[in-house]
């Protein structure tokens, strides 16, 4: 088994919140993620976000950072949780102000609450003449979800993912929520984290995006995720830039694994390549035995 090192309080440093966007289909999850991705160009960086790697980081005018999982919807959220991965710190739940609290809105709320992840509501499409954000808030209140303006504790902001109205303020509220969570990690240890997505690229081989949750990942590290392993040959950020090291809350795409781990598989760094290979072989063996057992049933 892989030992989890318990961090000492004095080794912990603040880290950016990791945010998932959920909500009913067509309520504007993709539009919101696209808007934030396109609008945010880090000061001093030459370009905006150019690569889809499954997650991206933005820096607000205040200098504070937020990491977004770039897979809208709760399928990814629940798939990761099913593998024991708790990646999300805060959930933005998008609700179209010209619609209603829909089944997938309720599901998203339930998933976030079951995971103990705080919710920030984004009441979207307020640019539409038919938008009625108050009706949405009333319905939320009826479900015992009282937002701040209504005397409750849940953050909410009216936005338009199309025009961008309110999006900055929404992100400030996400940061307020993050402040309460007091998110910290130890950057000075071998990296641990979760695979967000992975695929085979014809030219480059297996490419996986990992989210570093603790420690620092470096080119040359020997990584094991699920049943796949390998030495990190190169790392790129969402701007396509070559990166040598990545600390907590940083999403990074890596080259060098011998296969594609499943989204939600944890990753660890090994000093000893042999040990990583042994664990990978053991996991492959276990999976084989499990599939034989299921076939017999
Ligand atoms: P998703 O299924 O939740 O990812 O929703 P999308 O982002 O794909 O949006 C569904 C539709 O609503 C698209 O046609 C968007 O252009 C539109 N849409 C999303 N946000 C807004 C908004 O703030 N205002 C308006 N008018 N349309 C929006």
């Amino acid at each position: 088994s892989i030992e989890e090192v318990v961090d000492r309080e004095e080794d912990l440093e603040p880290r950016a919140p990791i945010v998932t966007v959920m909500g009913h289909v067509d309520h504007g999850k993709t539009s919101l993620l696209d808007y934030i991705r396109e609008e945010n160009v880090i000061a001093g960086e030459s370009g905006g976000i150019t690569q889809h790697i499954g997650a991206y980081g933005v820096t607000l005018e205040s200098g504070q950072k937020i990491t977004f999982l770039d897979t809208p919807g709760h399928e990814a959220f629940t798939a990761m949780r099913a593998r024991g991965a708790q990646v999300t710190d805060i959930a933005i739940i998008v609700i179209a102000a010209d619609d209603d609290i829909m089944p997938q809105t309720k599901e998203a709320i339930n998933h976030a609450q079951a995971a103990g992840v705080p919710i920030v509501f984004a009441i979207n499409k307020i640019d539409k003449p038919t938008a009625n954000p108050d009706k949405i808030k009333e319905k939320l209140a009826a479900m015992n979800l009282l937002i701040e303006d209504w005397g409750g504790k849940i953050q909410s902001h009216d936005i338009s993912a199309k025009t961008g109205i309110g999006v900055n303020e929404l992100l400030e509220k996400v940061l307020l929520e993050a402040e309460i969570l007091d998110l910290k990690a130890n950057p000075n240890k071998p990296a641990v984290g979760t695979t967000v997505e992975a695929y085979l690229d014809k030219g480059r081989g297996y490419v996986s995006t990992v989210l570093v949750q603790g420690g620092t990942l470096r080119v040359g590290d020997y990584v094991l995720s699920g049943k796949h392993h390998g030495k990190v040959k190169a790392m790129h950020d969402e701007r396509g830039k070559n990166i040598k090291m990545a600390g907590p809350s940083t999403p990074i795409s890596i080259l060098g694994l011998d296969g594609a781990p499943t989204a939600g598989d944890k990753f660890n760094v090994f000093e000893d390549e042999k040990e990583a290979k042994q664990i990978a072989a053991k996991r492959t063996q276990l999976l084989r035995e499990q599939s034989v057992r299921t076939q017999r049933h």
Side-chain angles (χ1 to χ4, degrees):
S1 74
I2 299 160
E3 283 170 52
E4 289 276 339
V5 185
V6 179
D7 296 308
R8 292 177 307 178
E9 182 62 35
E10 62 261 39
D11 294 331
L12 298 178
E13 292 177 20
R15 65 167 180 86
I18 300 167
V19 174
T20 298
V21 177
M22 299 196 279
H24 196 75
V25 64
D26 282 347
H27 278 199
K29 301 176 291 293
T30 311
S31 304
L32 178 61
L33 281 164
D34 287 350
Y35 182 85
I36 297 168
R37 190 196 306 111
E38 281 157 26
E39 284 305 302
N40 200 274
V41 179
I42 292 184
E45 292 272 346
S46 52
I49 295 163
T50 54
Q51 321 278 313
H52 172 91
I53 67 167
Y56 64 80
V58 294
T59 307
L60 305 195
E61 258 170 55
S62 59
Q64 288 168 292
K65 290 180 179 359
I66 303 176
T67 301
F68 284 90
L69 288 172
D70 203 5
T71 330
H74 56 257
E75 286 80 4
F77 183 81
T78 43
M80 289 213 209
R81 279 198 78 219
R83 302 187 82 77
Q86 174 79 291
V87 179
T88 303
D89 298 308
I90 295 164
I92 292 181
I93 296 183
V94 179
I95 308 174
D98 65 340
D99 199 2
D100 209 333
I101 313 284
M102 298 298 279
Q104 285 172 46
T105 317
K106 287 181 191 161
E107 266 178 57
I109 293 168
N110 290 339
H111 287 310
Q113 287 182 330
V117 170
I119 294 168
V120 176
F121 286 113
I123 315 293
N124 192 29
K125 306 199 188 186
I126 56 153
D127 60 289
K128 283 186 139 184
T130 50
N132 189 351
D134 276 346
K135 187 191 90 181
I136 300 292
K137 289 164 199 174
E138 217 170 272
K139 294 216 166 171
L140 287 173
M143 291 167 66
N144 229 346
L145 296 160
L146 262 188
I147 65 161
E148 273 207 329
D149 290 351
W150 289 41
K153 289 206 171 106
I154 305 175
Q155 305 275 359
S156 168
H157 206 80
D158 295 355
I159 67 159
S160 165
K162 193 175 176 182
T163 67
I165 306 169
V167 174
N168 280 334
E169 292 81 357
L170 173 76
L171 299 185
E172 291 300 336
K173 288 184 173 174
V174 167
L175 285 172
L176 268 177
E177 202 61 52
E179 226 174 276
I180 298 166
L181 294 173
D182 194 25
L183 302 166
K184 286 178 176 169
N186 174 9
N188 299 309
K189 64 176 186 182
V192 293
T194 301
T195 295
V196 177
E197 65 172 44
Y199 63 95
L200 178 61
D201 179 274
K202 261 191 186 163
R204 296 185 299 162
Y206 288 100
V207 182
S208 24
T209 295
V210 298
L211 195 54
V212 178
Q213 290 171 283
T216 297
L217 185 64
R218 290 181 170 79
V219 171
D221 279 349
Y222 207 89
V223 166
L224 168 72
S225 185
K227 56 187 170 67
H228 296 292
H229 58 91
K231 189 184 276 219
V232 178
K233 285 194 292 196
M235 307 201 294
H236 296 97
D237 67 7
E238 64 276 41
R239 288 163 173 81
K241 212 172 103 185
N242 251 304
I243 297 288
K244 290 270 171 271
M245 49 200 270
S249 293
T250 308
I252 211 89
S253 98
I254 65 173
L255 299 178
L257 296 199
D258 69 347
T262 307
D265 278 341
K266 299 214 172 90
F267 82 84
N268 293 79
V269 167
F270 285 81
E271 268 174 44
D272 184 2
E273 182 173 332
K274 226 172 89 191
E275 195 189 351
K277 281 183 177 161
Q278 279 166 359
I279 296 174
K282 217 181 271 173
R283 284 180 180 168
T284 306
Q285 177 68 22
L286 273 173
L287 285 172
R288 209 174 284 140
E289 284 168 15
Q290 272 167 8
S291 82
V292 169
R293 270 204 299 274
T294 11
Q295 277 163 23
R296 281 202 198 119
H297 279 236

